[in-house]
Amino acid sequence: MDRTTSWNDEAARAIIEAGSRAATDFLGTDRVGATSLLPILHALQEKFGYVDRAAIPTIADVLNISKAEVHGTISFYHDFRSEPAGRHVLHLCRAESCQAMGSERLAAYLDDRHKLQPGVTSFDGTLTLENVYCVGNCALSPTALLDGVPVGRLDETMLDDLIAAARGDRP
Amino acid sequence: MSPIRIFVPGDSGAVSVGADRVAREILKQALVRDLDVVIVRNGSRGMYWLEPLVEVETPAGRIAYGPVRHVDVADLFDAEFLKGGEHALRLGPTNEISCLKNQQRLTFARVGVVNPRSVEDYCANGGFSGLLRALHLTPHEIVEEIVASGLRGRGGAGFPTGVKWRTVANAPGEQKYVVCNADEGDSGTFADRMLMEGDPFVIIEGMITAGLAVGATRGLIYIRSEYPHAVAAMRAAIEKARTAGFLGANVGMHFGQKAGAFDMEVRVGAGAYICGEETSLLESLEGKRGQVRAKPPLPAISGLFGKPTVINNVLSLAAAPWILARGGKAYAEYGMGRSRGTKPLQLAGNVKRPGLYEMAFGITLRELVMEIGGGTASGRPLRAVQAGGPLGAYFPERLLDTPLDYEAMAAAGGMLGHGGVVVFDDTVDMAAQARFAFEFCAIESCGKCTPCRIGSRRGAETIDKIVRGENRDANRALVEDLCATMTDGSLCALGGLTPMPVLSALKHFGDDFQRPLQMLASAE
């Protein structure tokens, strides 16, 4: 399920300029500084799957801030990737409510059985496992998201199915 | 004959247990049987153990069935569920289900009832009647109505909302802003998410009202990126509210009145827990690292872009329309002591009947967890309850008679916070939970204050030493000392309150810190 396209400086610049304009149009003032930075970074990651370092000078130029400020923001937030993830991303919730229902056991299972560790992409490039701290599905713990789709009341069998689906690129 | 309306929640929780598949199967079966149905993707009623909860609109009212799996659908059609027919999954009239009937749903009155994508449905169910009244009041009168309600910040800090609005209203400035904090990051909480997905217009109405009260013309709602369904629901609702004449150059347009301008848009967070802290959130909206600001100045005086800013939690803003429509006094009639109105409590973790319960302040933890929640899901003995999110205290069984209000929780050494309650059975290792509190703080610290940035790491290491049996007494004293430093030396609640789960675990569950190492390792 490769939704993203490979990095392209020109397309990136267009996204950055459009993001900056949208914020200024809405806030109707020229004193809004770098307010469009997060929307721009999300738009870049949506399009390319990550935020290439090549975007930093362009963003700095368009928003009239320093490259250090752009880098500072990108590096602060867990969401922004500096390189593409695997074709699928599995977010496993590791927060308290899911802990109370066995998420730590599931994390150990992913490691033992599927050789998946948080923050790492599998060797075949299929799947990236990420920790997440709460997705607001605490009443149906434990929870994971596969490519943003929530799965509640998770157990080992369901994890096997999700991973098989990801590996086979089935929906 | 008009088609029969079937409600299948589009709530992301219901979706996580198969609601989309159930909806598809219903359409398929209806087609095969040549029956005229229409599916409404409503919000969740909050009774998550019954999800996917399917409701059918019959002449006798809505009849609920649940939990419905896609394989049950053909069987339900055979049992004539479209006429409310008998079936093993039939729960009876939705409004008669005792868990729902015994709540006082003010903020959540429409969630699960209306179609969250329909502004007409919202208006037909009392929506925008608070705004209509506000349009006939002066800004000062709107503020005083909120003050009279006794409403306190539902995000967790409990600051009086009316006082905040009054401060912004009185602050000089051409440009002011309304910011809605929808960065609901506490584990065990999901009320903001449910409301955004199930009744997004009430938040819009609350923000317009705040705008009128303080003279702000622009609003931003900051939603965490972990909530894509809520982002989509809010964006769709804003678009519809604008088209219907509730947002834009004249917020009174829909009612044919002349009023001020107010417009709003959604901003999406980027996975930083700290951005739920209000000043960090403002920094994030300005495109910066989400580092907390020192206060003063208060955001009410110098907030977004240095302008006077109302920044409120989703539930605080969503309470405003009810208060305006019925009066602040009517709202204050609910609750106890200095905690007025209702609180949407969220019950999660290892509990039989997890979900959202909006109740007047005053019920105890025991009533919530044991009576309403039915005890642990595993059937094992309850060991601990964490109330108020990851920065809240762990309560042992004997403290469960504490009432869930701001003051009583604080008196018991905890906090109510955003109203999340997470239940643990006797398999929990409380030393591991204390270590996790430090670890979480280390991961999510913005880095501004040293006690939080460094102390959290040293804290986790010191817990490890205690568990390993290294100088247990001295290291325990060190953790307590470190916690005092974090409490006193941190600007915001992350560093300041991480000691709460740590110290409560040490105090009430000291035995767990004496266990051998391999037990901790297996729990991690």
Side-chain angles (χ1 to χ4, degrees):
Chain A
M1 192 209 51
D2 251 332
R3 301 157 302 168
T4 55
T5 52
S6 53
W7 189 266
N8 171 323
D9 282 338
E10 251 173 70
R13 180 173 270 275
I15 288 172
I16 294 162
E17 286 172 350
S20 171
R21 253 194 322 274
T24 322
D25 285 352
F26 174 71
L27 291 166
T29 158
D30 56 357
R31 285 194 294 271
V32 294
T35 185
S36 57
L37 185 46
L38 259 64
I40 286 171
L41 295 172
H42 276 304
L44 290 172
Q45 186 150 303
E46 172 78 23
K47 174 89 174 170
F48 303 112
Y50 73 111
V51 180
D52 197 283
R53 289 183 64 87
I56 294 176
T58 315
I59 296 172
D61 177 41
V62 173
L63 298 187
N64 196 25
I65 55 176
S66 75
K67 285 180 275 189
E69 284 169 310
V70 179
H71 175 74
T73 295
I74 294 174
S75 59
F76 182 84
Y77 296 94
H78 300 305
D79 279 3
F80 302 123
R81 303 177 182 285
S82 54
E83 50 192 58
R87 284 202 305 284
H88 300 276
V89 180
L90 180 68
H91 281 97
L92 180 68
C93 180
R94 303 291 294 272
E96 287 88 345
S97 177
C98 287
Q99 290 170 9
M101 291 300 278
S103 61
E104 300 312 283
R105 193 190 72 234
L106 296 178
Y109 179 78
L110 285 173
D111 192 355
D112 290 348
R113 178 64 185 271
H114 296 284
K115 309 296 169 218
L116 290 169
Q117 293 96 33
V120 179
T121 300
S122 61
F123 288 119
D124 59 358
T126 303
L127 193 66
T128 304
L129 176 65
E130 299 274 5
N131 287 336
V132 64
Y133 295 94
C134 198
V135 297
N137 200 27
C138 320
L140 294 164
S141 293
T143 289
L145 305 174
L146 181 64
D147 299 324
V149 179
V151 185
R153 291 198 197 112
L154 195 65
D155 61 22
E156 283 83 348
T157 316
M158 291 163 76
L159 276 176
D160 291 345
D161 290 347
L162 290 177
I163 290 164
R167 296 232 149 107
D169 275 2
R170 283 183 280 114
Chain B
M1 204 182 120
S2 58
I4 297 170
R5 296 213 298 168
I6 304 174
F7 296 81
V8 183
D11 173 275
S12 59
V15 168
S16 84
V17 287
D20 286 352
R21 209 164 169 193
V22 169
R24 281 197 301 272
E25 187 63 25
I26 290 174
L27 283 178
K28 194 176 126 197
Q29 290 289 335
L31 197 68
V32 169
R33 293 159 199 253
D34 198 22
L35 294 165
D36 197 11
V37 303
V38 58
I39 291 189
V40 177
R41 302 307 300 268
N42 57 335
S44 170
R45 298 281 189 159
M47 299 177 287
Y48 278 100
W49 72 99
L50 297 175
E51 292 291 357
L53 180 84
V54 175
E55 293 174 71
V56 181
E57 200 167 59
T58 73
R62 277 157 75 160
I63 308 294
Y65 295 83
V68 178
R69 297 165 305 159
H70 70 282
V71 292
D72 298 322
V73 171
D75 206 32
L76 283 169
F77 273 95
D78 290 344
E80 301 216 7
F81 86 125
L82 292 185
K83 293 177 181 156
E86 268 312 318
H87 189 275
L89 296 177
R90 189 180 189 273
L91 300 162
T94 316
N95 291 330
E96 295 300 316
I97 299 173
S98 64
C99 282
L100 199 56
K101 200 179 171 185
N102 298 333
Q103 297 185 38
Q104 288 99 34
R105 288 203 164 192
L106 309 186
T107 302
F108 278 75
R110 274 176 299 263
V111 175
V113 177
V114 296
N115 176 356
R117 293 288 199 270
S118 164
V119 68
E120 295 79 14
D121 220 8
Y122 180 68
C123 292
N125 285 275
F128 287 118
S129 56
L131 176 66
L132 181 60
R133 174 144 180 271
L135 289 169
H136 291 95
L137 299 178
T138 65
H140 174 75
E141 286 167 335
I142 299 174
V143 169
E144 291 315 308
E145 204 69 80
I146 300 294
V147 172
S149 75
L151 176 68
R152 292 167 66 182
R154 295 286 186 253
F159 188 82
T161 306
V163 175
K164 204 181 251 189
W165 289 21
R166 189 193 279 154
T167 311
V168 179
N170 292 338
E174 288 277 296
Q175 181 66 58
K176 298 178 184 178
Y177 296 100
V178 176
V179 173
C180 177
N181 182 346
D183 195 45
E184 181 180 52
D186 287 358
S187 174
T189 67
F190 43 86
D192 297 354
R193 177 188 65 68
M194 275 183 67
L195 195 63
M196 288 187 279
E197 291 179 3
D199 192 18
F201 293 103
V202 75
I203 302 162
I204 296 171
E205 186 180 351
M207 288 182 70
I208 299 169
T209 307
L212 290 174
V214 305
T217 55
R218 287 288 180 273
L220 292 170
I221 176 166
Y222 186 95
I223 307 175
R224 60 202 298 260
S225 61
E226 293 85 347
Y227 283 4
H229 288 75
V231 170
M234 284 308 308
R235 284 194 168 137
I238 289 168
E239 201 53 48
K240 293 201 163 138
R242 201 177 283 136
T243 308
F246 294 106
L247 289 171
N250 172 17
V251 298
M253 196 169 94
H254 181 87
F255 297 114
Q257 295 197 24
K258 181 87 194 77
F262 187 82
D263 208 342
M264 61 180 282
E265 67 173 26
V266 171
R267 286 297 180 84
V268 181
Y273 174 77
I274 192 61
C275 290
E277 196 282 332
E278 61 180 12
T279 62
S280 165
L281 190 155
L282 294 173
E283 291 286 300
S284 187
L285 284 176
E286 293 182 10
K288 299 172 188 158
R289 295 167 70 86
Q291 286 201 314
V292 301
R293 298 176 182 171
K295 290 189 274 192
L298 295 170
I301 308 291
S302 176
L304 187 62
F305 311 123
K307 308 293 184 205
T309 302
V310 167
I311 176 162
N312 280 140
N313 173 253
V314 170
L315 302 180
S316 312
L317 286 163
W322 195 97
I323 293 167
L324 265 296
R326 319 280 176 95
K329 212 166 144 256
Y331 191 78
E333 275 164 19
Y334 293 89
M336 63 180 277
R338 289 178 50 225
S339 301
R340 311 310 312 180
T342 60
K343 177 88 177 177
L345 297 165
Q346 301 125 82
L347 187 57
N350 198 327
V351 65
K352 208 169 279 171
R353 290 190 287 272
L356 180 122
Y357 303 94
E358 183 176 353
M359 323 276 270
F361 284 98
I363 78 156
T364 66
L365 264 173
R366 189 182 306 280
E367 287 167 326
L368 179 68
V369 172
M370 304 308 286
E371 288 169 30
I372 298 173
T376 62
S378 62
R380 299 182 64 94
L382 177 145
R383 181 109 192 283
V385 169
Q386 187 180 30
L391 307 175
Y394 285 101
F395 284 78
E397 206 271 342
R398 65 185 164 77
L399 285 181
L400 290 190
D401 292 312
T402 311
L404 283 156
D405 79 11
Y406 294 105
E407 277 73 29
M409 290 296 285
M415 66 169 184
L416 179 55
H418 190 46
V421 172
V422 177
V423 180
F424 294 82
D425 71 11
D426 64 348
T427 59
V428 69
D429 178 342
M430 293 306 297
Q433 297 308 121
R435 190 193 192 282
F436 175 75
F438 275 133
E439 195 188 333
F440 182 71
C441 180
I443 295 168
E444 299 297 340
S445 175
C446 81
K448 186 148 183 160
C449 309
T450 312
C452 172
R453 184 182 69 244
I454 308 288
S456 52
R457 290 180 194 281
R458 296 294 96 86
E461 292 161 9
T462 314
I463 298 276
D464 287 345
K465 287 180 190 164
I466 295 172
V467 173
R468 280 204 299 269
E470 292 176 27
N471 300 325
R472 276 194 164 138
D473 290 345
N475 276 318
R476 197 182 156 128
L478 199 60
V479 167
E480 284 167 8
D481 191 47
L482 173 66
C483 283
T485 307
M486 287 176 72
T487 305
D488 296 339
S490 304
L491 277 174
C492 83
L494 180 55
L497 292 177
T498 291
M500 200 180 262
V502 173
L503 294 177
S504 59
L506 269 168
K507 181 175 172 189
H508 302 303
F509 306 94
D511 288 354
D512 287 17
F513 295 80
Q514 314 287 333
R515 289 177 180 176
L517 176 65
Q518 58 269 29
M519 293 189 71
L520 184 61
S522 69
E524 270 172 12

